[in-house]
Amino acid sequence: MIIVGGSSSRDLAKELAGILECTYIQAASTKFPDGESYTRIDTETLDDDVVIVQNTYPNDNLIEMFLLQDAVRRLGARTITLVIPYFGYARQDRVFKPGEPESAKVMCKHLGMNCDRVITIDIHKEAILDYFECDHMDLKAAPVIADYFRDKKIDLVLAPDIGAANRAKDVGERLGVAYDHLEKTRLSGVDVRIAPAKFDATGKNVLIVDDMIATGGTIVAAASALREVGAESVSVACTHGVFVNNAIEKLTGSALSSVLCCNTLENEVSHISVAELIAGAIRE
Ligand code: R5P
């Protein structure tokens, strides 16, 4: 097996190759002066099972994935597995107004045309995966998040909304502590309202878990609602730290004690690795 690391996920791809004890090749990626993407896998042949590790967000990474799929195929790959740590466009899974595309479906259709299987991690809506005609598997980051917090004295695990309630349950059960979810109403792309907590968070060390942090609006509102009811500390762990604009500064200057995410997107707080999780799925 050969692991090819795209430019979005080099550290993760390298770590994965180390765990699986297989060859790692880093794809070279640059831009032409007009902004078009260029990529090259510097080898004569890839006569083996090949795993490409690359995000499909932001758009440049999506284009790079398409190019890598073609390059790998041309080099003779026996099978192609796409590991997409953060699957972009997963939140655009429905048509709300006439004339809109079904963006998530478009991405699955096109990515699925040139591979044998796809592995994603905590994709925003699992139903999207059915658009892939090839084999597909969505891995859950809850076990590695729970492992990270095992010795951090957490008393209560919370989801910021009902959509993430199962994740809080999974992490809470693994840590052997209580879990619940808050009630969130989205007011705009940036602002959310969190209803006062129905449970007693007074004096508790709370861990909020979510699939992603984008603007940080959800987590900032959840953390201040919890501090208002007397939570001792509020930490947050998400799978995908998208952190648009100044989200990390916004979060570190808020009521939160710590902000952590997995390395599906590599950034200054992505200290929870999903490499073992992916390696386990590939081995199987
Ligand atoms: C929503 O369904 C998601 O699970 C996240 O809670 C949301 O996308 C976070 O967005 P933001 O950080 O912009 O509030």
Side-chain angles (χ1 to χ4, degrees):
M1 183 182 295
I2 296 171
I3 309 281
V4 172
S7 63
S8 72
S9 310
R10 287 178 176 152
D11 291 347
L12 175 58
K14 228 178 282 174
E15 194 185 340
L16 182 62
I19 296 169
L20 293 170
E21 296 178 344
C22 61
T23 307
Y24 171 70
I25 304 179
Q26 192 164 295
S29 305
T30 53
K31 286 276 176 60
F32 285 105
D34 63 358
E36 287 183 357
S37 300
Y38 170 87
T39 191
R40 177 160 184 254
I41 301 162
D42 189 9
T43 184
E44 291 295 309
T45 174
L46 282 177
D47 182 17
D48 208 331
D49 295 312
V50 176
V51 176
I52 305 173
V53 188
Q54 169 74 354
N55 287 330
T56 58
Y57 168 91
N59 289 344
D60 280 350
N61 286 334
L62 174 66
I63 298 294
E64 186 181 321
M65 176 64 105
F66 289 137
L67 301 179
L68 285 173
Q69 285 178 267
D70 187 66
V72 161
R73 183 73 78 195
R74 284 168 179 281
L75 286 166
R78 282 182 222 155
T79 63
I80 303 177
T81 298
L82 306 186
V83 172
I84 308 178
Y86 177 63
F87 187 95
Y89 288 88
R91 290 192 289 177
Q92 297 189 52
D93 60 318
R94 268 182 295 166
V95 170
F96 290 95
K97 293 181 193 149
E100 289 176 351
E102 222 175 323
S103 305
K105 184 175 179 179
V106 173
M107 298 310 157
C108 294
K109 291 279 175 204
H110 284 82
L111 289 162
M113 276 159 60
N114 209 359
C115 68
D116 299 281
R117 73 187 62 83
V118 175
I119 297 176
T120 54
I121 298 152
D122 280 341
I123 195 162
H124 187 65
K125 288 263 169 65
E126 267 188 78
I128 295 166
L129 290 170
D130 294 337
Y131 296 132
F132 280 115
E133 279 159 24
C134 58
D135 286 349
H136 49 77
M137 179 189 283
D138 187 55
L139 306 176
K140 306 287 165 235
V144 289
I145 291 176
D147 279 351
Y148 190 94
F149 281 89
R150 205 163 292 288
D151 57 358
K152 306 274 188 299
K153 297 190 168 61
I154 297 297
D155 308 307
L156 175 63
V157 178
L158 290 179
D161 55 37
I162 194 161
N166 279 340
R167 183 169 295 109
K169 178 174 188 284
D170 195 349
V171 175
E173 284 180 347
R174 286 171 190 276
L175 291 178
V177 301
Y179 54 84
D180 210 325
H181 66 87
L182 294 157
E183 301 293 340
K184 171 172 110 176
T185 310
R186 186 162 279 288
L187 306 173
S188 71
V190 182
D191 295 312
V192 301
R193 184 176 55 227
I194 300 281
K198 296 187 296 299
F199 41 81
D200 185 17
T202 318
K204 304 250 168 75
N205 294 305
V206 182
L207 171 64
I208 307 176
V209 290
D210 207 353
D211 64 335
M212 66 168 76
I213 299 176
T215 65
T218 299
I219 297 302
V220 169
S224 58
L226 289 164
R227 293 307 291 263
E228 269 168 34
V229 296
E232 172 71 19
S233 71
V234 183
S235 304
V236 62
C238 71
T239 309
H240 312 295
V242 182
F243 300 132
V244 298
N245 301 326
N246 61 343
I248 293 194
E249 290 78 51
K250 192 163 140 186
L251 290 164
T252 45
S254 73
L256 287 162
S257 310
S258 67
V259 180
L260 281 157
C261 61
C262 297
N263 56 351
T264 56
L265 288 154
E266 293 172 359
N267 56 54
E268 62 198 84
V269 294
S270 58
H271 302 312
I272 306 175
S273 182
V274 291
E276 285 283 357
L277 209 64
I278 301 169
I282 290 176
R283 276 197 204 102
E284 272 174 32

